[in-house]
Each structure stands twice: as structure tokens, then as C-alpha cells.
Amino acid sequence: MTATLRAALWMTGAITSFTAMAVAGRAVSHQLDTFELMLYRSCVGFVIILSIVMINGRQCELRTANAPLHLLRNLAHFAGQNLWFFALTAIPLAQVFALEFTSPLWVAALAPLVLGERLTATRAISAMVGFVGILIIAQPGSGLGLSNGIVAAALSAICFAFTAMFTRRLTRTETTLAILMWLTATQLVFGLITAGFDGNITLPTWATAPWLVLIGCAGLLAHTCLTIALSIAPASVVIPIDFTRLPLIALIGAVFYGEPVGWALVLGGGLIVLANLVNIRAESTVKPALGN
């Protein structure tokens, strides 16, 4: 089996997991708010990662020297994930995924400020093309105004971009297991604070519990599959496979939720995907960006 085929198989797992998380998030959105969703997702993830750490005796990896950077990264991810879950309930699933795909373009545009990387012409052009795609999807001049869902999805992509950049800095000194451990631990605390701020945390029921377990497991599995795929094949091969999430979720939205697939989504989403492909082709050594 070739490296490309093995990477494609792992990406199938990532695509399935990301899609399952979106469907599960929408399924419980009427019973739980986004803070509660993040609380229970973090609970599931924390138990899984802690079990792996204890079983394999890898406690020594859980250093705290980079605690401030871990905190910044996980705050960005917590905000982005909450916005992403909210967007799932407010706009069509395909719009959420299309706007999420702008995250690598925000990384390209913001990396000079956060990471000190050089802003190349390709990065600048790709970011501008992606921004045009956002405008087409949002249609700010249509008279309808920007919906809360579109704003939330766009902001979640920016938060995921900061998550990716902080992750890139952390990987210089931290293992993936340590990053995931601090992610789930700190977001469990964030979830408890925000979900319990009003003094009322909705407890899981027999109906919502399976969906919450699916959300927690799918999130970890998606990033595991993506990381393995990127270790087998270059980003220029792996990331374009991830873009098949867009037509897949559009099909799911149309069949199960009656969501329309209009010209704005097709054209805007196509421009965003094209901008990513151009950027990836120019920088085939891009590291994986841990998104939702």
C-alpha cells in the first residue's frame, strides 16, 4: 500500500470524525448550550487522555514550563469551539465548514505577527482570495445583513488560526500527548466556569449522553487521524483530501436537514478551497493545524 493511499485512509477517519462531531453537536444543541457542550466534550477527552498517560507511564511529559502559552492556546481553542458549535445551530452545515476552511489562510496572514514568519506574496494573495470567498458566502451587500451564525463561524476560524499558531510554537518543546492533556484539562475548567456561571448546568440524559460521548471521542480521533496522515504524506497531499468534508456535509445538510446549496456557497467555498490549495502547494512543509 502506497503512502498516499495510507494517508487517504487515515484522512477518511478524520473526515468522518469531524462530520460526526458536527451532526452530534446539532443533535444536542436544543438541550445544551455551547458551554455545556464544551464541558462534557472536555470531560470525555480528559478521561481518555489521562487514561493513556497513566497506562503508558508518560506523566513526565506533563511539564508546566510553557503554562502561559498552553493557557493562551486553549483559551483560543475554547472560544473557537464555542463559536463553532453555535454556528452549527444558526446556519447551514456547509457554510460552517466552508468558513472554517479559512483558518489556514488566517494563519498565513497572521503568522508574521505571532510567529515572526515572512509574509510571502503567495500567502498574501491566498489570504485575499479567501477573504473574497468569505464576502461571497456572507453577501454583506444583499440587504440581509450578516447573520450571527456567519459571524460566529468566521470568528471561530480566526480563533482556530491562533490555536494553530500557538500549537506550532508548543510543538517545539512539547509532545502531542502533553498538548492534548493540557487542552482537555484547562478546557474542562473553562467549561465548568462558563457553564456554571448562571448556577444551572444541564445534566446529560439517556438521550443526550451518547451524542456527548460521540462529540468527545470524535474530536480526539479526528486530530489523531489527521496527525498520523500528515506523518505519512506531505500536507500538499493530505489537506486537499480534507476539503471533501465540504461537499459531504453539504449533502448531509441537504438530505437530512433540507438545507439549500446556493451559488454563493459553491462559489465562495470554491474560492476558499482554491486559496488553500495554492498556499499549500507553495508551502508543502506546513505543519498540521489543530482545529476543532
Side-chain angles (χ1 to χ4, degrees):
M1 186 181 297
T2 65
T4 299
L5 181 56
R6 285 189 289 123
L9 289 174
W10 281 108
M11 282 307 299
T12 300
I15 292 166
T16 302
S17 298
F18 280 129
T19 303
M21 187 166 61
V23 173
R26 177 171 283 192
V28 297
S29 62
H30 297 296
Q31 291 80 31
L32 303 169
D33 61 37
T34 60
F35 295 133
E36 291 165 341
L37 275 178
M38 285 300 296
L39 170 61
Y40 295 124
R41 176 191 169 170
S42 300
C43 282
V44 173
F46 180 74
V47 170
I48 293 174
I49 295 298
L50 181 61
S51 299
I52 294 174
V53 170
M54 299 303 292
I55 291 172
N56 293 279
R58 298 174 63 176
Q59 296 91 329
C60 62
E61 295 182 21
L62 308 181
R63 299 182 297 270
T64 57
N66 286 316
L69 188 55
H70 277 291
L71 182 62
L72 279 175
R73 178 207 185 264
N74 298 335
L75 276 172
H77 188 271
F78 185 77
Q81 193 69 82
N82 272 284
L83 290 164
W84 189 80
F85 276 128
F86 172 77
L88 289 176
T89 68
I91 58 177
L93 295 173
Q95 278 192 330
V96 178
F97 276 44
L99 293 170
E100 180 191 345
F101 283 142
T102 64
S103 183
L105 303 177
W106 286 112
V107 171
L110 296 172
L113 298 176
V114 178
L115 299 174
E117 297 180 357
R118 187 169 61 91
L119 179 61
T120 65
T122 300
R123 284 181 171 184
I125 293 173
S126 297
M128 286 188 289
V129 172
F131 185 69
V132 171
I134 295 176
L135 293 178
I136 292 175
I137 292 175
Q139 300 184 67
S142 63
L144 301 176
L146 290 176
S147 71
N148 291 334
I150 287 179
V151 172
L155 289 176
S156 75
I158 298 175
C159 289
F160 289 147
F162 278 105
T163 302
M165 288 183 287
F166 293 143
T167 301
R168 193 178 295 180
R169 290 180 58 180
L170 283 169
T171 54
R172 298 170 185 171
T173 57
E174 308 287 318
T175 65
T176 299
L177 186 62
I179 292 172
L180 289 175
M181 182 64 186
W182 288 116
L183 169 69
T184 55
T186 55
Q187 292 197 151
L188 178 56
V189 176
F190 297 157
L192 279 170
I193 294 172
T194 53
F197 186 76
D198 59 358
N200 180 32
I201 298 179
T202 303
L203 297 177
T205 65
W206 288 109
T208 59
W211 292 113
L212 294 172
V213 172
L214 176 59
I215 289 171
C217 293
L220 288 177
L221 182 60
H223 292 302
T224 300
C225 291
L226 179 60
T227 301
I228 294 174
L230 285 163
S231 71
I232 296 172
S236 57
V237 173
V238 172
I239 300 303
I241 300 174
D242 189 36
F243 293 144
T244 60
R245 270 199 288 150
L246 186 52
L248 174 62
I249 202 66
L251 177 62
I252 291 174
V255 172
F256 294 100
Y257 302 106
E259 297 175 352
V261 181
W263 68 268
L265 175 62
V266 174
L267 180 57
L271 283 176
I272 291 170
V273 170
L274 176 62
N276 275 292
L277 290 174
V278 170
N279 194 45
I280 292 169
R281 185 176 179 83
E283 302 181 50
S284 59
T285 58
V286 171
K287 291 185 178 180
L290 299 183
N292 50 352

